[in-house]
Amino acid sequence: MDSSSSSSSSLSQQPDFDYLFKLLLIGDSGVGKSSLLLRFTADSFEDLSPTIGVDFKVKMVNIGGKKLKLAIWDTAGQERFRTLTSSYYRGAQGIIMVYDVTRRETFTNLSDIWAKEIDLYSTNQDCIKMLVGNKVDKESERAVTKKEGIEFAREYGCLFLECSAKTKVNVEQCFEELVLKILDTPSLLADASSGAKKNIFKQKPPEADAAASSCC
Amino acid sequence: MATTLTPTQRYAAGALLALALRQAQIHQSVPLGGGSADDEERASSASGGSSASTATSSASGSDAVADADLWTHDSRGLLRPVFRFLEIEPQAWAGLEETAASPEAKHHIGAFLRIIFEEHGASSSDRLEQEHALAKAVDVMAMSLGSGIVPDEKIKEEGKDSTTSSSGTAESPEAGSPENLLGIDKLTLDDVPAKHHRKMALLYALLSACVADKPVSQEEEERKSSHFRKGYDARHRVALRLIATWLDIKWIKMEAIEVMVACSAMAAAKEQEQERETASPKSKWEKWKRGGIIGAAALTGGALLAITGGLAAPAIAAGFGALAPTLGTLVPFIGASGFAAMAAAAGSVAGSVAVAASFGAAGAGLTGSKMARRIGKVKEFEFKPIGDNHNQGRLAVGILVSGFAFDEDDFCKPWEGWKDNLEKYILQWESKHIIAVSTAIQDWLTSRLAMELMKQGAMRTVLSGLLAAFAWPATLLAATDFIDSKWSVAIDRSDKAGKMLAEVLLKGLQGNRPVSLIGFSLGARVIFKCLQELALSSDNEGLVERVVLLGAPVSVKGEQWEPARKMVSGRFVNVYSRDDWILGVTFRASLLTQGLAGIQAIDVPGVENVDVTELVDGHSSYLSAAQQILEHLELNTYYPVFAPLPVVSK
């Protein structure tokens, strides 16, 4: 996968990509979502403070012969921002669930909390889910086996990879696999082509017509 | 800075402002409830595309955040200073900006509101107490503001039922029923445990952040992206209005908060001034960090002159002195020690010199100063204060422009009855010419035309009925030469006066506060020309908050309506009367070929068209009907409203 320069402020006037994909990173606080994103978009690794609310990065990539623009939303894992993440599931073509292989609770929370959130809030029926176990560089502290990860992935019908944002292992592969799968799913592509970007709105739920506004 | 909001809540508050700003910008071209849901979606989905090209629904796939036309964009200087004031971590800014700019922004509103209201763990009882105190103070303030506008309130109350059932008179394209007006997931809002005091704390914090001097970081200074205007940006006010609507807060309360923030800003500015005398000079950036709020530029002599000079501190102090005992009983710990204490209770002293300067600058600026440069032959161009809201710490200005008058009084009379909490000024311009042309029209009416019409029957019927059909007998038209010459001079002057008005606004003589421009007849043309002038140079969108044109002699085609619309952050109302045949006759050349705003609805995205044919049966009726029309427009409502007219009274 060759990637063009990443920037969060491409000044492109004409759509210079074939598809725009919205990807979402979720998972407990401290599992390394932001690090993963930083590694992917800027190829660097550093100590990051907890994400506040949501962060956003753009990366242009060429995968499967297509020019793709990835808009990746990085959400805060902290409990206090939990309500916030719910609205970001909307319209996402791909969702990456991240856990820390050295902290078991981050893995169990995926099924207890995060998978349920996806079911509840995602608007794309076919959206591609991906399970990612981060921090495999700390092999000695491992608390979740790869087998467990694979089983979880099978149960929830999602892709699975283990990676390390620190050592760069499998980071690009995560995103590449996810994107390839999205490219394989026609229903997701319809929304994502640069021209049909606005179709996302057609999935808007019917207006709550009973609610009257009283503003005066 | 201390505020009653927790860091998370401040984050959400910043997000809400960002969302509101973006939504307000969308509503510029597609007013809430103005169009069908489809329209709204189209607009918001085209959001990535340039909002500059409202008409061309460009399927631009350009990066939303990269679009410098967005109000949320960094280059606009509307958001980041607020974020900084709210002490939101810079790393979170990009995410917020992108969120606000994203096409699904509307769906995030509920989530952010939820954060503000649901987070309670961290809120100590101390905070809660402060919030309650603030809410009480706002209530009291609103009451004191409200006492002056009882009639208005009454009308609103009366009109309320009928308003909700949508009006038939409002010709605005498919005046939508207000049910889905807010366009956000109402459900998510309904089950939010909305706490009144928290709402107040939120609005107070946001407003403080909006009016505070915009401190510029060194990094930004280097990039020279710091052409930010000081003061209270009209777009901020519109965004706050939208947030207040989301929160279901009456605007009067927001106005109360405005006054409070203004006063606490003044108190802080004075304090700072005293401090400055002892403090040793430090670098700009450090100074900001230390002061928290006050930008270095504001510490220069000029601004301070404005504070100490034209300032009507006594008036404000008196106002609060009267309030203090009341507050003391209501909120024990505030005590009766005046406003400084209340500001402390409110938690955030918005020490904005810019705001403080508002009073002084406006007092001296609008009324005192003569225009340095005269444009063309305009001889008279003068602002006069009307109403009693002056030097009361009002953070919004209304400029009212008449354009049809029989004597000088007619420049203020139409507006005198209108109760509103704006600091109001009338613009008296070229009264000689206006009176001349108005009188000429009158004379014409009472002479030959009247004779003819008398013969045919009741004058009234003829005026409002027969002639409205645009079927003017040739004999009537023949008599208009006399008017034409006077009229064309007046038109010329109004165009020039418009330029001068634009210049005044650009200079910030209104005290860098958002302006509502309201004018009728040629006055409406002055305003329109002013907007066009503003549109010529970039980055003037933050000056004008609302515009109402009544019976405007402005052609529909051939004028730059859309750029003019963009200069207005909030509502843009075109009030017209199909029976305004005087306007039709005098402006007939344009009318026949290009259409005329004062007589028909204009099809410009985002312009509300209101048909007042039932109230206005001739051009001069605006003189008497202006107040009623304005009241029915309910300008303080965020979305288009025209309360149905009472069963034709006249």
Side-chain angles (χ1 to χ4, degrees), chain B residues 452-582:
Chain B
E452 299 224 353
L453 293 178
M454 286 305 186
K455 279 184 218 153
Q456 295 171 25
M459 181 89 160
R460 264 210 108 69
T461 331
V462 174
L463 287 182
S464 54
L466 274 179
L467 293 168
F470 301 128
W472 302 306
T475 51
L476 298 188
L477 290 179
T480 59
D481 287 351
F482 175 62
I483 296 171
D484 283 351
S485 62
K486 285 194 164 55
W487 178 254
S488 61
V489 172
I491 286 278
D492 175 65
R493 294 296 154 84
S494 68
D495 291 5
K496 282 166 183 154
K499 282 191 179 153
M500 290 171 73
L501 181 56
E503 208 167 293
V504 165
L505 296 181
L506 283 171
K507 279 189 183 150
L509 294 182
Q510 74 283 18
N512 297 313
R513 292 174 288 179
V515 179
S516 296
L517 297 172
I518 301 167
F520 79 88
S521 187
L522 286 164
R525 190 178 171 93
V526 170
I527 288 171
F528 183 79
K529 288 293 167 182
C530 163
L531 295 177
Q532 275 192 333
E533 184 71 14
L534 290 177
L536 291 181
S537 45
S538 62
D539 217 34
N540 295 331
E541 292 101 321
L543 295 168
V544 181
E545 188 200 355
R546 293 170 295 189
V547 161
V548 181
L549 304 180
L550 304 147
V554 179
S555 31
V556 175
K557 285 180 213 153
E559 294 281 4
Q560 302 286 314
W561 281 94
E562 284 177 21
R565 173 66 187 94
K566 236 171 266 134
M567 291 302 114
V568 184
S569 317
R571 292 171 65 185
F572 189 126
V573 190
N574 175 44
V575 177
Y576 66 97
S577 162
R578 281 174 282 113
D579 283 357
D580 192 351
W581 58 275
I582 295 180

Side-chain angles (χ1 to χ4, degrees), chain B residues 364-534:
Chain B
L366 281 184
T367 56
S369 82
K370 299 282 171 215
M371 286 297 293
R373 191 165 68 89
R374 300 276 173 196
I375 300 178
K377 289 176 181 148
V378 178
K379 290 201 182 66
E380 188 189 17
F381 187 86
E382 205 180 330
F383 292 95
K384 290 182 178 170
I386 60 163
D388 46 8
N389 292 332
H390 293 272
N391 293 324
Q392 298 290 309
R394 299 299 152 86
L395 281 181
V397 176
I399 294 178
L400 313 163
V401 193
S402 288
F404 196 82
F406 297 111
D407 58 60
E408 287 205 4
D409 281 352
D410 285 344
F411 279 93
C412 19
K413 240 188 265 160
W415 319 112
E416 270 171 350
W418 183 48
K419 304 282 186 203
D420 196 276
N421 283 316
L422 297 168
E423 188 172 304
K424 283 179 294 227
Y425 297 86
I426 55 147
L427 171 60
Q428 189 170 321
W429 60 287
E430 294 296 85
S431 49
K432 269 190 198 138
H433 288 279
I434 305 244
I435 292 171
V437 74
S438 309
T439 316
I441 290 173
Q442 184 85 340
D443 289 349
W444 174 60
L445 279 182
T446 48
S447 61
R448 185 164 160 186
L449 173 67
M451 293 312 194
E452 299 224 353
L453 293 178
M454 286 305 186
K455 279 184 218 153
Q456 295 171 25
M459 181 89 160
R460 264 210 108 69
T461 331
V462 174
L463 287 182
S464 54
L466 274 179
L467 293 168
F470 301 128
W472 302 306
T475 51
L476 298 188
L477 290 179
T480 59
D481 287 351
F482 175 62
I483 296 171
D484 283 351
S485 62
K486 285 194 164 55
W487 178 254
S488 61
V489 172
I491 286 278
D492 175 65
R493 294 296 154 84
S494 68
D495 291 5
K496 282 166 183 154
K499 282 191 179 153
M500 290 171 73
L501 181 56
E503 208 167 293
V504 165
L505 296 181
L506 283 171
K507 279 189 183 150
L509 294 182
Q510 74 283 18
N512 297 313
R513 292 174 288 179
V515 179
S516 296
L517 297 172
I518 301 167
F520 79 88
S521 187
L522 286 164
R525 190 178 171 93
V526 170
I527 288 171
F528 183 79
K529 288 293 167 182
C530 163
L531 295 177
Q532 275 192 333
E533 184 71 14
L534 290 177

